[in-house]
Amino acid sequence: MSYYVDLLRYLFQSKHRRGYGVHSPSVFRLITLVIEERLPYYSYFLIEKIRYLSNRKGVDVFLSEEGELFEKNKVCLAKWGQLGIAYDQILFRLVNYYKPKTIVELGTTMGFSTLYLATPNSQAHVITLSEKKEISDLAKNNFKKSSVCNILLKEGDIESNFRKLIQEQVQFDFLSINCTMLPRGFYSYCNTLLQTGSFGGVIVINEPYFGESNRDDLKKIKLHDQVRVVIDLFHIVILILDSNLQKEEFVLRYY
């Protein structure tokens, strides 16, 4: 119920369509030229064709679990519709705009968000962490269909694999978090990353209002000193860690 209460609150509080009321030039450009852009990139067609062909099998895998996985991921299932496509495509435009060299995704779904992260730049290195073998197999199959070659899927405990990346000093400048695919909240991942002192890029949190622990984590990460700009679209929240920017939060009406 809290999820829908938060959604109603968002609908009442959201504004800044087309950048109205945004005084920061960099945030204005981000909203108008990236988030609200509607140009159809060729990669969209390729990924959505794969999504169309894969959806039935994906639903069957979710429903074949003992109910627990379906209950945890029913928001994820709902996002396989048109709404999810629109938010996945924001990932593409953000990567295309910021041009990160290494991207990490926490919680692989069926691989569509991963493909949107990987296709803007074939030279970028995308690492996606998955905990469920059944979902990993679906994602790998979709990667194979796409012929995209710059994705590395690491299967196993997400937290352990993420800490290994930090310990190995893997330098990445874009982090995408799928909250519906994490066993716990997401703040510990963000805090671990920010404690390294070397991350100054972008964090995108997918479905941060899904579950009480995620909602609590969102409140904490918004207040973090290193997070300068927060753009809240409800289904995704974009955190920009640029020390040159003033600390601000925007609740943007989207879609």
Side-chain angles (χ1 to χ4, degrees), residues 54-170:
S54 303
N55 266 359
R56 182 65 260 167
K57 186 176 180 181
V59 172
D60 289 343
V61 169
F62 275 106
L63 296 180
S64 68
E65 295 285 333
E66 296 177 354
E68 179 182 351
L69 186 59
F70 172 68
E71 284 298 317
K72 180 173 175 52
N73 292 286
K74 52 190 174 183
V75 172
C76 182
L77 282 167
K79 287 193 69 186
W80 287 350
Q82 191 65 34
L83 180 64
I85 294 170
Y87 286 95
D88 280 349
Q89 289 173 354
I90 291 178
L91 294 175
F92 179 99
R93 298 195 295 271
L94 286 170
V95 171
N96 193 47
Y97 182 72
Y98 283 107
K99 296 178 171 48
K101 294 179 180 178
T102 303
I103 301 163
V104 172
E105 179 183 50
L106 302 182
T108 313
T109 53
M110 286 180 63
F112 306 121
S113 60
T114 319
L115 288 170
Y116 274 113
L117 291 168
T119 49
N121 179 10
S122 61
Q123 302 303 310
H125 187 39
V126 179
I127 304 169
T128 182
L129 308 183
S130 174
E131 198 155 297
K132 291 285 185 180
K133 184 180 185 307
E134 297 86 351
I135 306 302
S136 299
D137 290 343
L138 285 173
K140 289 175 184 176
N141 188 43
N142 289 328
F143 299 157
K144 185 176 179 181
K145 290 176 186 175
S146 72
S147 299
V148 173
C149 301
N150 58 331
I151 298 172
L152 173 63
L153 190 151
K154 288 180 174 286
E155 193 177 308
D157 183 74
I158 293 175
E159 187 168 358
S160 297
N161 282 328
F162 183 72
R163 291 188 180 278
K164 284 179 185 177
L165 292 177
I166 299 296
Q167 290 166 3
E168 293 167 2
Q169 298 184 332
V170 174

